[in-house]
């Protein structure tokens, strides 16, 4: 199948060709015709599958073929949970609309609103926004949503996780009742289905991958290690392996800052990205990481959601997330667009409950090893009472003892 066979216009095909794409991804081939048919869509697709172009291209076509307005009201609204994702979608919209007469803008918090208001005053066909800043500018009468023809909720599961349900409901009340609705989520959870049932009209279900599964080309590995030795182990892995681009996840902002500081002291260039960082600092850190100036990006889940880092080879879970679905989102940063990747998790004894929940979700037992020199010595009696579970020891997987210094983890699979 080709993009041409999907019924896209010549200006869009030119833009696609300029970006170097020739064939649509599975999600694109499935969702583009449905959107062009002006049907509501509830789509489940893992990160890195090309879903942004999957909704961007048909929206551009529909708006180009639709009614023209002299003052350019907002005709398509794309809602995203994070600033980084909003900025990346905006970049995609601009690239794909290069040969059309459509205008786009992006608005999000953490930066001054005046330049965004100025862009809106010039007229915008497609608006990409985070919920908070959108409502703020609407309350200031800086924009109107009464002409919206197509609504997109991207990363809808994350928006719910971040507490945007009330904001989403408020925004829905500002939109015209007759419109096309597109909802994209990594999973079809009960919460997502409940949200969709509240505003979508007979949506078409589209799945690019089985629900709640991880990308096949990601080599997943667990390293069993004492909590107090995690920092030493991650430094050994990165330095010994001479890894040059590593995305590391921590559970807390403070933990991200602390680990970043220790890496820089060990002459491993690192930067932290989390909610307490200014938008300027987050943008600079991400740019430095993509350009190779920063070797390690240490992030929390909220800040890293939606990051588009082409050909990222390594993701490390310094701490496992307490929400299993977040594990899928984390490791989905690597293995994108058909490339292979490695996802390592440093797991202490007290995180075994989290690991079992993750393995249950993805229906896979992740291979577990112990790195020589970093053997697990923690005992159940050492843990706080709140982490002691019945049958805790009996549920632990058998360990393999491996010596690891500088070898590629995918060579350690037995």
């Amino acid at each position: 199948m080709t993009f041409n066979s999907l019924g896209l216009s010549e200006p869009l095909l030119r833009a696609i060709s300029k970006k170097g794409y020739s064939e649509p991804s599975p999600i694109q081939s499935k969702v583009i015709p449905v959107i062009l048919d002006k049907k509501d869509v509830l789509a489940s697709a893992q990160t890195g599958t090309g879903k942004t172009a999957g909704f961007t291209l048909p929206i551009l076509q529909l708006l180009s073929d639709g009614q023209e307005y002299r003052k350019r009201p907002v005709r398509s609204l794309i809602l995203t949970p994070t600033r980084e994702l909003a900025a990346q979608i905006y970049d995609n919209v601009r690239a794909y609309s290069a040969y059309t007469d459509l205008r786009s803008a992006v608005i999000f918090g953490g930066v001054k609103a005046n330049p965004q208001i100025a862009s809106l005053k010039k007229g915008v066909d497609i608006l990409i926004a985070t919920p908070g800043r959108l409502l703020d500018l609407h309350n200031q009468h800086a924009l109107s949503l009464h002409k919206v023809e197509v609504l997109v909720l991207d990363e809808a599961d994350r928006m719910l996780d971040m507490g945007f349900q009330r904001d989403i409901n408020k925004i829905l009340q500002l939109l015209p009742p007759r419109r096309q609705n597109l909802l994209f989520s990594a999973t079809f959870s009960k919460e997502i289905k409940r949200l969709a049932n509240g505003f979508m009209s007979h949506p078409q279900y589209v799945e690019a991958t089985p629900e709640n599964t991880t990308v096949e080309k990601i080599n997943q590995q667990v390293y069993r290690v004492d909590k107090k030795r995690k920092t030493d182990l991650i430094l050994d892995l990165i330095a010994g392996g001479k890894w040059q681009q590593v995305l590391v996840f921590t559970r807390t902002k403070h933990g991200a800052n602390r680990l970043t500081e220790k890496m820089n002291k060990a002459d491993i260039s690192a930067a932290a990205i989390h909610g307490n960082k200014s938008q300027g600092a987050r943008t600079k850190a991400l740019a430095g990481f993509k350009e190779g100036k920063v070797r390690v990006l240490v992030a929390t889940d909220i800040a890293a959601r939606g990051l588009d880092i082409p050909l990222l080879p390594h993701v490390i879970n310094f701490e496992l997330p307490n929400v299993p679905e977040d594990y899928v989102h984390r490791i989905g940063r690597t293995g994108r667009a058909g490339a292979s990747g490695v996802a390592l998790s440093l797991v202490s004894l007290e995180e075994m409950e989290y690991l079992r929940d993750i393995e249950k979700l993805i229906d896979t037992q992740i291979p577990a090893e112990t790195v020589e020199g970093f053997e697990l010595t923690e005992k159940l009696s050492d843990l706080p009472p709140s982490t002691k579970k019945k049958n805790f020891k009996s549920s632990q997987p058998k360990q393999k003892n491996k010596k690891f210094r500088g070898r590629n983890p995918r060579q350690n699979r037995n």
Side-chain angles (χ1 to χ4, degrees):
M1 179 177 289
T2 65
F3 282 104
N4 189 52
S5 66
L6 295 177
L8 295 173
S9 64
E10 193 276 334
L12 295 180
L13 294 175
R14 284 176 61 195
I16 293 169
S17 177
K18 185 176 180 180
K19 284 183 68 76
Y21 301 127
S22 57
E23 297 181 357
S25 68
I27 185 63
Q28 291 165 358
S29 62
K30 290 181 179 181
V31 80
I32 289 176
V34 181
I35 298 176
L36 288 176
D37 203 24
K38 299 186 177 181
K39 294 179 180 178
D40 282 10
V41 172
L42 180 55
S44 172
Q46 301 296 336
T47 54
T49 57
K51 62 183 174 67
T52 300
F55 62 75
T56 296
L57 290 168
I59 287 175
L60 290 171
Q61 175 120 345
L62 289 173
L63 297 187
S64 295
D65 294 342
Q67 180 181 350
E68 294 184 8
Y69 294 88
R70 185 169 59 87
K71 292 187 178 181
R72 293 185 184 268
V74 176
R75 297 167 59 199
S76 179
L77 173 64
I78 302 173
L79 286 178
T80 73
T82 67
R83 306 164 188 174
E84 283 76 21
L85 183 55
Q88 289 173 55
I89 293 176
Y90 175 58
D91 289 341
N92 274 272
V93 171
R94 284 201 305 170
Y96 289 122
S97 63
Y99 303 107
T100 72
D101 187 40
L102 298 171
R103 291 183 192 169
S104 57
V106 61
I107 59 174
F108 48 74
V111 296
K112 292 182 179 180
N114 288 341
Q116 297 177 356
I117 293 174
S119 295
L120 293 170
K121 286 183 177 179
K122 295 178 182 178
V124 173
D125 299 289
I126 302 173
L127 179 62
I128 303 98
T130 52
R133 178 52 63 92
L134 179 71
L135 287 172
D136 181 37
L137 295 189
H138 185 273
N139 291 336
Q140 296 182 44
H141 306 289
L143 60 89
S144 171
L145 301 175
H146 72 283
K147 292 288 187 181
V148 169
E149 301 169 22
V150 186
L151 168 68
V152 180
L153 296 186
D154 192 25
E155 304 277 10
D157 48 342
R158 174 54 62 180
M159 282 199 271
L160 295 185
D161 291 343
M162 293 172 64
F164 285 135
Q165 174 78 67
R166 182 175 297 181
D167 286 349
I168 291 173
N169 291 338
K170 289 180 180 178
I171 292 168
L172 291 174
Q173 296 301 315
L174 302 175
L175 302 173
R178 291 177 61 85
R179 64 177 187 274
Q180 185 175 10
N181 302 292
L182 313 175
L183 188 153
F184 288 78
S185 172
T187 63
F188 284 156
S189 65
K190 292 180 180 178
E191 293 76 16
I192 287 297
K193 291 177 180 177
R194 190 181 303 118
L195 172 64
N197 289 336
F199 74 96
M200 303 187 84
S201 175
H202 306 292
Q204 300 290 307
Y205 283 75
V206 177
E207 291 187 74
T209 55
E211 184 173 355
N212 287 334
T213 60
T214 50
V215 182
E216 292 181 358
K217 290 189 178 253
I218 300 176
N219 175 22
Q220 300 173 70
Q221 189 71 56
V222 164
Y223 286 106
R224 306 290 304 285
V225 61
D226 291 348
K227 182 178 181 180
K228 62 183 179 182
R229 298 295 312 280
K230 282 190 176 186
T231 300
D232 291 336
L233 175 56
I234 196 171
L235 293 176
D236 185 76
L237 291 172
I238 294 173
K242 297 181 180 179
W243 298 342
Q244 296 302 314
Q245 194 177 43
V246 187
L247 177 60
V248 178
F249 285 95
T250 62
R251 269 204 296 268
T252 67
K253 304 167 188 174
H254 176 68
N257 287 337
R258 186 171 57 222
L259 182 58
T260 299
E261 183 179 344
K262 290 182 178 180
M263 285 191 172
N264 283 314
K265 286 183 178 179
D267 291 328
I268 297 175
S269 59
I273 178 170
H274 53 67
N276 282 356
K277 293 285 186 179
S278 69
Q279 184 58 39
R282 288 161 67 166
T283 301
K284 181 179 179 181
L286 181 58
F289 185 63
K290 287 183 175 182
E291 295 168 3
K293 298 176 182 177
V294 174
R295 190 171 172 183
V296 180
L297 189 65
V298 186
T300 56
D301 287 298
I302 289 178
R305 180 63 176 231
L307 291 182
D308 184 14
I309 305 165
L311 303 179
L312 176 64
H314 296 99
V315 169
I316 299 179
N317 292 300
F318 185 75
E319 298 160 316
L320 287 181
N322 54 9
V323 177
E325 288 81 4
D326 284 344
Y327 173 83
V328 177
H329 301 317
R330 286 181 177 190
I331 72 168
R333 299 304 100 200
T334 188
R336 297 171 70 90
S340 59
V342 177
L344 307 179
S345 298
L346 310 187
V347 181
S348 63
L349 189 61
E350 67 179 32
E351 293 175 296
M352 283 304 302
E353 267 315 291
Y354 298 151
L355 178 60
R356 288 205 301 274
D357 290 342
I358 289 167
E359 291 178 331
K360 182 179 179 181
L361 176 73
I362 65 176
D363 194 26
T364 301
Q365 183 171 349
I366 305 172
E369 301 177 0
T370 297
V371 179
E372 185 176 319
F374 296 92
E375 291 81 3
L376 187 68
T377 62
E378 295 172 332
K379 299 179 180 178
L380 188 61
S381 58
D382 299 330
L383 302 181
S386 60
T387 61
K388 295 178 181 178
K389 305 288 184 181
K390 289 183 180 180
N391 303 319
F392 195 100
K393 287 187 176 181
S394 63
S395 65
Q396 296 180 39
K398 293 181 180 180
Q399 301 179 25
K400 301 175 185 176
N401 234 334
K402 293 293 239 182
K403 184 174 181 180
F404 180 85
R405 284 191 67 91
R407 289 206 306 268
N408 190 322
R410 53 185 101 191
Q411 297 172 352
N412 293 335
R413 301 182 73 181
N414 293 325

